[in-house]
Amino acid sequence: MEKAKTKGKGLRAWLLSSTQDQARDTGMAMVLICLIATYWWQLPRFLPLAIILLLLTMAVPQVFRPLAVLWFGLSHIMGNLVSKVVLSVIFFVLVTPIGLIRRWAGKDSLQLGKWKKDRGSVFVAREGVILPEDLNNPY
């Protein structure tokens, strides 16, 4: 769903901006939700609804287009939010403590202590002949 397509075209264009595949997928998700409610919570009244939704999904998937816009829009927002939260947690739980431990241990892999202290470079020149195996595993 591209924003450029629907920008400035109004609510109707935004509601119809989903594809037929997305509408079909949304209909199938609604069927699955009804079947799960029937099985897990022992609610047999959702079984006829699941059958009706399945028939609608197979016959007229365009019915689910407005719901597909909301469904896929919500999934897009949640995907962006969750990825940022998970990556932030990983950074602060793993990378930050390792960096603090290395700093307390006096390690300076980037040679930041030498940087701009004099005219010399902090670049480490490699001595010897560089072999093809060295390029395969530079670390």
Side-chain angles (χ1 to χ4, degrees):
M1 177 174 73
E2 293 181 25
K3 290 182 181 179
K5 284 184 187 177
T6 60
K7 191 172 185 177
K9 293 186 180 180
L11 180 64
R12 186 169 191 268
W14 181 74
L15 288 175
L16 297 175
S17 65
S18 65
T19 65
Q20 187 167 354
D21 289 337
Q22 288 176 332
R24 187 179 302 116
D25 290 345
T26 302
M28 293 304 290
M30 295 301 117
V31 170
L32 182 62
I33 289 170
C34 288
L35 291 175
I36 288 172
T38 301
Y39 181 74
W40 277 355
W41 296 299
Q42 303 298 319
L43 298 171
R45 65 179 175 263
F46 282 104
L47 188 58
L49 180 61
I51 293 170
I52 291 169
L53 289 173
L54 181 62
L55 291 174
L56 274 174
T57 301
M58 292 188 316
V60 191
Q62 296 88 354
V63 170
F64 296 102
R65 275 196 164 174
L67 188 58
V69 170
L70 297 174
W71 187 262
F72 281 91
L74 179 65
S75 67
H76 181 70
I77 291 169
M78 286 178 54
N80 283 336
L81 181 69
V82 169
S83 67
K84 288 180 173 94
V85 168
V86 168
L87 289 174
S88 297
V89 167
I90 288 172
F91 180 81
F92 287 113
V93 168
L94 292 177
V95 177
T96 303
I98 291 171
L100 291 174
I101 291 169
R102 287 185 55 86
R103 181 176 287 177
W104 290 332
K107 303 289 183 186
D108 191 14
S109 300
L110 296 177
Q111 299 179 2
L112 294 175
K114 294 181 185 178
W115 194 59
K116 291 194 176 182
K117 295 288 184 195
D118 58 8
R119 292 285 216 195
S121 173
V122 294
F123 179 74
V124 177
R126 289 185 64 166
E127 300 292 330
V129 178
I130 298 173
L131 302 173
E133 296 83 29
D134 295 332
L135 298 177
N136 289 338
N137 296 316
Y139 42 88

